[in-house]
Amino acid sequence: MMRLAKAAEMREIDRKAMADYAIPGIILMEHAANAVFQVIKEDFPSPVKTGVICGRGNNGGDGWAIARLLLQAGWDVTVFHPGLGVDLPPDAGQNREISLRLGVRAEEWEKLLVAAESIHSYDLLIDALLGTGFRGQAEGDYGRLIELINCSGKPVIAVDLPSGLEADTGRVNGPVVKAWQTVTFGLPKIGLLAYPGRGFAGELIINRIGLPQELLSGEQTKYFTYLPEEVKKLRPKRNAEAHKGSCGRLLIIGGSAGLTGAPVLAGMGALRSGAGLVTLGLRDGLLLTEKPPELMVKSWSQIHQQIETLGLGREYDAAVIGPGLSTAPDGRDLLFKVLAEENLTKVLDADALNILSSEEDWWTKARGSLVLTPHPGEMARLTGLSIAAVQKDRLAIVEESAELWQAVVVLKGAGTTVASPEGLIYINPTGNPGMATGGTGDLLSGMLGALLGQGLSPLEGACLGVYMHGAAADLAAEELGYTGMIAGDLLSRLPRVLMGKFTKAEVDSVDGRYTLASPVRENL
């Protein structure tokens, strides 16, 4: 897994690099500047007129060093700064002095703000205004500069993170630079993966800048994401003697008049994710004309009988309950009977969550391992909050809920977040706006059930399922675009994802550098 860092954690890593490994801060700043410089050269093989907007901290020092490297490579570059009389941190101040002595053109912010139209004469802008220590809302000159950058229409490369973005949360409280690319150093910051921050970062490039790997991976992580090579290791694999009974036996309970497609999608998602046997548990008498032949069917009366005799755990490795269930009393009764099953891992989705939201302290009645998959509306009902409140503080709410409910919680949406009862938080890097269509959630619940039935732990199964779900959508988007995508388009691409076929939207690692494509590609 790749660790995601808070600003304070990243500062501590820098401090240890200097104190324990004798790496001077000025060297780390040079490596950071060179990381951005290399990205610029890849994107612009020939020099272009470049403006570097520098702030008062070490982020501004990175900007001064980048300007120097560009000048020495023959580029037309200008640094916009708060004033040469403004004190900078030592390493940033030294880079400013070096750049000035080498002849880097420098102008104060005020000149740019007064003649705002002059920004249109630049072909590329480098955002080195605000670093990871920023909190709150960018105001005054900072706010005006950010708005000027965004109105320029020019490609913008952000240094470490877009100015105005909170590194620890991804919150946006005011103007934020809309970056074309962000080059971040050491470890990705949480706010670069969590929304809405992820939407401002553009293509995300993570460069170790020479920091010792022991420092980047040595601390126990709380926030993390997965890389493709790690996903490939997690995927369930079949040995030569595998049979349908050894590949996971899943029960999916749901379906009601007008909502028969939901359990079918969940069932097919499970089969396409490797489940050996999938049974749909349907209301007595419910007709399912669209049922694929690969799915088996069992009535609710048969499920009740089995619970009262041997229990479900004797026949099934996992269960999904909720797709198309409705909130009728018979569904409520069956839900709580399934919840009480001790030896059965359960995925709760859709109407199962809506039923629980009206039940006080429902989690005290649950037994066995649980995975909940609410979208923001369902999470709002479960927690008694508004949807806006859930979206504003997604990371904290999903963490608190997982601990309270003693369940793995998958909070769906852009940057789907998974939390474990122990406090681990996973932020998913895959997926796109084309998933905003009916049925994709049902598909996910079936996928999760299949992975749990094949022996993955609730946390690993949830993280892997969410990643694969988004990766299938990314494959579909490359061929179909966003607007016309339907849930079935993801389903047909799941086998390719299980084979390890990812798109350029996945993280690509080269020599310790990782690239994550922009979450929204304009051509789609």
Side-chain angles (χ1 to χ4, degrees), residues 4 36 65 79 86 97 193 274 303 311 323 351 401 425 447 452 514:
L4 305 179
V36 179
V79 170
V86 173
E97 187 62 26
L193 270 292
I303 295 171
D351 281 328
S401 298
I425 311 292
M447 293 172 62
L452 298 178
Y514 302 93

CSV table of all heavy atoms in Angstrom, one decimal, residues 4 36 65 79 86 97 193 274 303 311 323 351 401 425 447 452 514:
chain,number,residue,atom,x,y,z
A,4,LEU,N,-0.4,7.7,2.6
A,4,LEU,CA,-0.8,9.1,2.4
A,4,LEU,C,-0.4,9.8,3.6
A,4,LEU,O,-0.7,9.4,4.8
A,4,LEU,CB,-2.3,9.2,2.1
A,4,LEU,CG,-2.9,8.4,1.0
A,4,LEU,CD1,-4.4,8.6,0.8
A,4,LEU,CD2,-2.1,8.7,-0.3
A,36,VAL,N,10.1,19.0,-10.5
A,36,VAL,CA,9.2,19.8,-11.3
A,36,VAL,C,9.8,20.2,-12.7
A,36,VAL,O,9.1,20.1,-13.7
A,36,VAL,CB,8.8,21.1,-10.6
A,36,VAL,CG1,7.9,21.9,-11.4
A,36,VAL,CG2,8.1,20.7,-9.2
A,65,ALA,N,13.9,28.1,-7.1
A,65,ALA,CA,14.9,27.1,-7.6
A,65,ALA,C,14.4,26.6,-9.0
A,65,ALA,O,15.3,26.4,-9.9
A,65,ALA,CB,15.0,25.9,-6.6
A,79,VAL,N,9.9,35.4,-12.2
A,79,VAL,CA,9.3,35.1,-10.9
A,79,VAL,C,8.5,36.3,-10.4
A,79,VAL,O,9.0,37.4,-10.4
A,79,VAL,CB,10.5,34.8,-9.9
A,79,VAL,CG1,9.9,34.7,-8.5
A,79,VAL,CG2,11.2,33.5,-10.3
A,86,VAL,N,10.9,40.9,1.9
A,86,VAL,CA,10.2,39.9,2.7
A,86,VAL,C,11.1,38.8,3.1
A,86,VAL,O,11.8,38.2,2.3
A,86,VAL,CB,9.0,39.3,1.9
A,86,VAL,CG1,8.3,38.2,2.7
A,86,VAL,CG2,8.0,40.4,1.6
A,97,GLU,N,18.3,34.2,-3.4
A,97,GLU,CA,19.6,34.9,-3.7
A,97,GLU,C,20.3,34.3,-4.9
A,97,GLU,O,20.9,35.1,-5.7
A,97,GLU,CB,20.4,34.9,-2.4
A,97,GLU,CG,21.7,35.8,-2.5
A,97,GLU,CD,21.3,37.2,-2.6
A,97,GLU,OE1,20.2,37.7,-2.2
A,97,GLU,OE2,22.2,38.0,-3.2
A,193,LEU,N,-5.8,13.2,-2.8
A,193,LEU,CA,-6.6,12.0,-3.2
A,193,LEU,C,-8.1,12.2,-2.8
A,193,LEU,O,-9.0,11.7,-3.4
A,193,LEU,CB,-6.1,10.8,-2.5
A,193,LEU,CG,-5.0,10.0,-3.2
A,193,LEU,CD1,-5.5,9.3,-4.5
A,193,LEU,CD2,-3.8,10.8,-3.6
A,274,GLY,N,-15.3,-13.6,-9.7
A,274,GLY,CA,-14.7,-14.8,-9.4
A,274,GLY,C,-15.5,-15.8,-8.5
A,274,GLY,O,-15.0,-16.9,-8.2
A,303,ILE,N,-35.0,-19.4,2.9
A,303,ILE,CA,-33.9,-18.8,3.6
A,303,ILE,C,-34.3,-18.7,5.1
A,303,ILE,O,-33.5,-19.1,6.0
A,303,ILE,CB,-33.6,-17.4,3.1
A,303,ILE,CG1,-33.1,-17.5,1.7
A,303,ILE,CG2,-32.6,-16.7,4.0
A,303,ILE,CD1,-32.9,-16.1,1.0
A,311,GLY,N,-28.6,-22.6,9.9
A,311,GLY,CA,-27.9,-21.3,9.7
A,311,GLY,C,-27.4,-21.2,8.3
A,311,GLY,O,-27.1,-22.2,7.6
A,323,PRO,N,-29.9,-5.0,-2.3
A,323,PRO,CA,-30.2,-4.6,-3.7
A,323,PRO,C,-31.7,-4.9,-4.0
A,323,PRO,O,-32.1,-6.0,-4.1
A,323,PRO,CB,-29.2,-5.4,-4.5
A,323,PRO,CG,-28.1,-5.7,-3.6
A,323,PRO,CD,-28.7,-5.9,-2.3
A,351,ASP,N,-31.4,-0.7,0.3
A,351,ASP,CA,-32.5,-0.7,1.3
A,351,ASP,C,-32.2,-1.3,2.6
A,351,ASP,O,-32.8,-1.0,3.6
A,351,ASP,CB,-33.8,-1.3,0.7
A,351,ASP,CG,-34.5,-0.4,-0.3
A,351,ASP,OD1,-34.4,0.8,-0.1
A,351,ASP,OD2,-35.1,-0.9,-1.3
A,401,SER,N,-17.9,6.3,12.0
A,401,SER,CA,-18.9,5.3,11.8
A,401,SER,C,-18.4,3.9,11.9
A,401,SER,O,-19.0,3.0,12.4
A,401,SER,CB,-19.6,5.6,10.5
A,401,SER,OG,-20.2,6.9,10.4
A,425,ILE,N,-7.8,4.1,7.0
A,425,ILE,CA,-8.6,4.8,6.0
A,425,ILE,C,-8.0,4.6,4.6
A,425,ILE,O,-6.8,5.0,4.4
A,425,ILE,CB,-8.7,6.3,6.3
A,425,ILE,CG1,-9.1,6.5,7.8
A,425,ILE,CG2,-9.7,7.0,5.3
A,425,ILE,CD1,-10.5,6.1,8.1
A,447,MET,N,-19.7,-7.5,-6.2
A,447,MET,CA,-18.3,-7.7,-6.3
A,447,MET,C,-17.7,-7.9,-4.9
A,447,MET,O,-16.8,-8.8,-4.7
A,447,MET,CB,-17.6,-6.5,-6.9
A,447,MET,CG,-18.0,-6.3,-8.4
A,447,MET,SD,-17.4,-4.8,-9.1
A,447,MET,CE,-15.6,-5.0,-8.8
A,452,LEU,N,-15.2,-11.3,-0.6
A,452,LEU,CA,-15.2,-11.8,0.8
A,452,LEU,C,-15.4,-13.3,0.8
A,452,LEU,O,-14.8,-14.1,1.6
A,452,LEU,CB,-16.3,-11.1,1.6
A,452,LEU,CG,-16.2,-9.6,1.7
A,452,LEU,CD1,-17.3,-9.0,2.5
A,452,LEU,CD2,-14.9,-9.2,2.4
A,514,TYR,N,5.6,8.1,-9.3
A,514,TYR,CA,4.3,7.6,-9.6
A,514,TYR,C,3.4,8.7,-10.3
A,514,TYR,O,3.5,9.8,-9.8
A,514,TYR,CB,3.6,7.1,-8.3
A,514,TYR,CG,4.4,6.0,-7.6
A,514,TYR,CD1,5.3,6.4,-6.6
A,514,TYR,CD2,4.3,4.7,-8.0
A,514,TYR,CE1,6.1,5.4,-6.0
A,514,TYR,CE2,5.0,3.7,-7.3
A,514,TYR,CZ,5.9,4.1,-6.3
A,514,TYR,OH,6.6,3.1,-5.7
